[in-house]
Amino acid sequence: MNSDENVRNKVMSLIEENELSKTYVAKKLGIDNSALSRILKGERKVTIEELNTLAEMFDVTSDYLLGKNNTPKWANKKDTYDLEKFLEENDGTFTYGGDDLTEDEKQKLKIAMTQIFWDRHKHD
């Protein structure tokens, strides 16, 4: 699933969960109903500004909406920043048995570490 599909699916779910009208969401985004309808049908991409507005409106992170790193819905901006900072600070230092990991291995490790981070944080 690509990020556009993630955004569409998550926004549709959040609209339903929060029992909001599409007219209300469109107004908050500063767009008309037809533009929101095109976004939800995949005929129009969400702008960065709209993505940020949606994240604030539903009290989720943009990473959650984009489906990045399996960020859970309950994660706040500080949680996401802490994880992102950790991964950035340690990128390039991942080795196994003294050998540098390939880019593919690093990506897989980041995904695993992200899941461990969210699982542990959820139980705090």
Side-chain angles (χ1 to χ4, degrees):
M1 184 177 303
N2 67 37
S3 61
D4 292 330
E5 290 175 282
N6 279 315
V7 172
R8 285 197 318 267
N9 291 336
K10 293 203 173 162
V11 169
M12 285 190 289
S13 293
L14 288 165
I15 288 171
E16 290 173 13
E17 285 174 29
N18 290 280
E19 299 178 357
L20 298 175
S21 73
K22 291 179 182 168
T23 301
Y24 173 82
V25 174
K27 186 174 181 178
K28 286 290 206 181
L29 291 173
I31 60 177
D32 61 26
N33 286 354
S34 65
L36 179 60
S37 179
R38 287 194 314 274
I39 289 170
L40 296 176
K41 289 179 184 175
E43 298 168 356
R44 176 184 178 284
K45 291 187 177 216
V46 177
T47 67
I48 297 294
E49 293 81 17
E50 292 164 347
L51 183 69
N52 289 332
T53 300
L54 288 165
E56 288 179 25
M57 181 186 320
F58 293 114
D59 195 27
V60 297
T61 66
S62 56
D63 281 349
Y64 171 76
L65 293 174
L66 292 168
K68 289 176 69 176
N69 296 333
N70 298 319
T71 306
K73 181 179 163 184
W74 51 261
N76 62 38
K77 290 177 185 175
K78 182 184 179 305
D79 296 332
T80 304
Y81 175 75
D82 287 348
L83 175 62
E84 184 178 324
K85 183 178 173 188
F86 173 80
L87 292 173
E88 284 176 7
E89 287 175 354
N90 292 288
D91 193 31
T93 60
F94 298 126
T95 61
Y96 183 79
D99 295 329
D100 290 337
L101 298 180
T102 66
E103 288 306 313
D104 185 50
E105 291 168 334
K106 287 179 186 179
Q107 187 61 32
K108 288 176 183 176
L109 181 59
K110 284 182 180 182
I111 291 168
M113 291 172 63
T114 300
Q115 193 59 52
I116 292 166
F117 176 87
W118 291 133
D119 286 348
R120 180 174 185 203
H121 190 71
K122 179 171 52 174
H123 299 296
D124 286 346

